[in-house]
Amino acid sequence: MTSMSRARVARRIAAGAAYGGGGIGLAGAATVGLLLAEVQLARRRVGNGAPGRVPNAAGIYGGTLPTAGEPPLRLVMLGDSTAAGQGVHRAGQTPGALLASGLAAVAERPVRLDSVALPGACSDDLDRQVGLVLADPGPVPDICVIMIGANDVTHRMPATHSVRHLSAAVRRLRTAGAEVVVGTCPDLGTIEPVRQPLRWLARRASRQLAAAQTIGVVEQGGRTVSLGDLLGPEFAQNPRELFGPDNYHPSAEGYATAAMAVLPTVCAALGLWPEEERPDVSRYEGFLPVARAAAEAASDAGTEVAAAAPTGRGGRGPC
């Protein structure tokens, strides 16, 4: 599928989400029937993603840094098992802890990390998670990072429904004053035990959802980072190193790769990234229509997509 075709599909899904359209099928019922045997085999060979122990990474990072009378920056993780850090054993190996440590180093300011992410969650759980974030009596988070989408694909949630829930979550957080960065649906076609043709369908569905998520998020004032093949060529080349023991969730090295891909966008959203390293808005460097940018980002892991016009604190990014 060409990038223009992917862009049209992504725009249709995003439009359906915005205007209440039904789901857009990615495979007919007959095709799904033919794949049932392969799905059952994949489930036996791949970790089932059932909620397990997730290290509690909440706390203050960079606590020895001077505060100059300012409170710590507040970072909150929302989403599924990837956001929570399922699959590792130490709190410092979770993506939230890695992002908080990196953000503290860049900002030269302590960072308070909280998480409402739930292993096994689909996008329809984001309403509950956002409610928990906004009900906290403390200050509104400076930055929220959402990682969601893989369970939507495996549970066959219609992409329009997924994007509608995600867009609503981003809108509520942005309205409350938080910056939002979304790590879009990872490429499930990289899961090693899954064979063809299921691998191809998983990749296609994942990338279509990721592109549609990007459109929905950017239209609500958020930024996205393509998690792609969790994240980049390292996973395709070293799946046994970058996936955890269940062959589904990332290992510590995999989460570190993901966090380092997301960190620059988190810093940019807070105005902490050097402007000379960002595209020049006046010369339209790196700018594309949002649907095309979303489609290309879905195939290019680590790519950031954000609105061209400045929004809030968020600096400027490609659209």
Side-chain angles (χ1 to χ4, degrees), residues 167-220:
S167 297
V170 174
R171 180 169 60 251
R172 289 177 66 192
L173 293 169
R174 293 290 292 126
T175 299
E179 298 291 343
V180 181
V181 173
V182 175
T184 56
C185 181
D187 184 350
L188 298 182
T190 62
I191 298 175
E192 191 179 40
V194 177
R195 300 185 303 187
Q196 299 293 6
L198 187 59
R199 180 188 293 268
W200 179 84
L201 285 175
R203 170 160 289 150
R204 182 171 179 240
S206 302
R207 290 185 175 183
Q208 285 183 356
L209 178 57
Q213 286 177 318
T214 294
I215 295 173
V217 169
V218 170
E219 288 180 343
Q220 298 303 325

Side-chain angles (χ1 to χ4, degrees), residues 3 11 60 66 73 85 91 94 103 152 162 172-173 187 213 219 225 232 241 256 263-265:
S3 62
R11 175 55 74 183
I60 301 292
L73 291 170
T94 63
L103 178 58
D152 297 35
S162 298
R172 289 177 66 192
L173 293 169
D187 184 350
Q213 286 177 318
E219 288 180 343
V225 177
E241 294 179 15
L263 180 60
T265 301

